[in-house]
Amino acid sequence: MKKSFKHFSWLLLLLVPLLIVSGCGKSSSNKTIKVGIMGSDEKIWKPVQKKLKKEGVNIKLVTFTDYNQPNAALTNHEIALNSFQHTYFMDQWNKAHKSNIVSIGKTVRAPLRLYSKKVKSVADIKKGDQITIPNDSTNEGRALHLLQSAGLIKVDGSKALPTPKDITQNKLNLKITPVDAAQTPRSLTDAAGAVINNEFAAEAKLPNSETIYKEKINKASIPYINIIATNKADKNNKTYKKIVKAYQTEATKKLLKKYYHGLTIPAW
């Protein structure tokens, strides 16, 4: 009996390492990495997802409908990466929520645009007209700067993120109305104009002809370059870097041109 037990013990010693190695390999190869995106970007990310699968990296695209969700999901480890925000938005989110989200790669520049279904140019906007803007603090301030650049208003220059309360000049007495960013395209039915983020303009299939003013691309717009982000603890993850590399390709540039027609510009 003792001899049999001895042989069994040696057998276990030989098998356990093999089982551990086998289990780890299986877990690693089958791990699915969740990437949070806005719905309009699915057509850009799905080919990236397909390419990565051939390389042994499985990603699951998790779509969100508003800007408050993807970073919350990231900090709660419900997703591993997200791709929806620009650097400035991330920095403001980190300050407000005491989080440690970092950029691990650039994606696109998406200039903010003023759209209208009622007028053909900024000069046609009349006294008392309504202009809607996104209501999240970062894009609200950015939209007000856009309206200032268009010559419609002036804002307090000491405020990095102005609100409608910081408008110092409004000669046309425009009604500047903050609404949820996802609702800005719908607001064009009633408003004379709306400042709309690129992804929501794309979802609403707004034509270029309805753009009456757009954000200038210069040094001041560098903080608005969009990024792929993760939690700081994971910034050196090799698989995540592989995902960034799979996105930053000529194939992705062609897809951006095909689907966004110049509204979104590669930034890497």
Side-chain angles (χ1 to χ4, degrees), residues 3 13 31 52 54 72 83 114 136 149 180 184 186 197:
K3 194 172 181 183
L13 286 171
K31 185 179 179 182
L52 285 164
K54 289 178 182 177
S83 177
L114 175 61
D136 61 280
S149 176
D180 185 273
T184 48
R186 293 183 188 178
N197 292 86

Side-chain angles (χ1 to χ4, degrees), residues 118-119 122-130 172 174 192:
K118 299 182 184 297
V119 300
V122 171
D124 296 329
I125 293 174
K126 303 181 193 70
K127 192 171 184 178
D129 276 347
Q130 183 184 36
L172 291 176
L174 299 173

Side-chain angles (χ1 to χ4, degrees), residues 141-161:
R142 186 181 175 193
L144 290 171
H145 281 302
L146 177 74
L147 296 179
Q148 177 174 254
S149 176
L152 292 170
I153 60 170
K154 285 187 179 179
V155 296
D156 185 344
S158 68
K159 302 292 174 87
L161 287 175

